[in-house]
Amino acid sequence: MPDGETTGQGRTLRSARALREAGLLRPDAEAAVAAVEGRYAVSVTAHVAGLIDAADPADPVGLQYIPDGSELVTAPGESDDPTADGPFTPVVGVVHRYPDRALLKPLLACPVYCRFCFRREAVGPDGGVLSEAELDAAIDWFARTPAVREAILTGGDPFMLSARRLGGILARLGALEHIETLRVHTRVPVAAPDRVDAGLVRALREAGKPVVVAVHANHAREFSGEAVAALARLADAGVGLLGQSVLLRGVNDSVGALEGLFRAMLRARVKPYYLHALDAAPGTARFAVPDAEGVGLVKALRGRVPGWAIPTFVRESPGGGGKKLVEG
Ligand SMILES: *Cc1c(COP(=O)(O)O)cnc(C)c1O
Ligand code: SF4
């Protein structure tokens, strides 16, 4: 894997060395981060690098993406598959936990790799693209499962597919009579907004069923001018926009940071949908916020922001029981 590659937006940083050369990693931290890079994927797009204040080691955007040596330490209770997708996988690439909706993971690559990712043992630039045969089998599973009324593309990040391939998958799912809505979970609009181009927008518009895009963002600063413009292209095309965030120590664990985040979403026509409690994936303990503290933060928003700015605070049940309200 090269240290960096040139895209329309400039060089994507994919190693400790590239991060250090870009001024985003102190030289004395490079060796520890190089060890992490051998185990977990690293990627910071030029767009995201431009949002990080390199002089601030506590920068709320940088903390999400700059690796830390502590990631190689697995704390008690952390698990390789914290959401227990494994037992709910009827065919490769599908996760079916609720009767009426199921996930399709067409690939496991992302534009950026979040240090707190719950699928960190699975995601990465090299793996997880479904073969044609696997994709056919997965779509056939949806065709044979009429109780499923929503197909949810996730991964990895489905917006990393070419517009043609994404459009093909959405159109095949959208053509199934029992599929009523299509959803795509993505970080691309805030991490690599130039990818939200005319071809991608057309793929969503031609899906044949209503499409909702759930955007993952954790701090107001991720809503740059380019990101807001990318979201506007989606909204203008009739795509519904939801916001998904993770409550993260140091990133958004204050009433002010959460208010800023959710207000930034409203300005970008994004309805805050879920605030997730951190899933206990290996090496993520530095981001943990106790449930009681999280509940207090969400309560403090009530009355302070419009009601529709407040997401539901949920946690994935370990063992695969699905999302549950966090209630202190
Ligand atoms: C989160 C999740 C969904 C979607 O749940 P919603 O509450 O509808 O957002 C669907 N399937 C699986 C397996 C999930 O983990
Ligand atoms: S974008 Fe999502 S799947 Fe990809 S690394 Fe971040 S949290 Fe994980």
Side-chain angles (χ1 to χ4, degrees), residues 110 112-114 116-118 123 155-156 187 216:
C110 300
V112 283
Y113 293 101
C114 310
F116 49 86
C117 176
F118 67 115
V123 297
R187 211 159 178 16
H216 172 189

Side-chain angles (χ1 to χ4, degrees), residues 6 14 21 36 38 67 72 107 109 112 145 151 166 170 195 206 217 229 261 267 297 306 321 325:
T6 302
R14 295 190 181 273
E21 286 170 358
V36 173
L72 296 178
L107 84 174
V112 283
T145 313
L166 176 67
L170 289 171
R195 287 193 69 87
E206 292 177 355
L261 170 62
R267 290 193 298 273
L297 290 170
L325 283 182

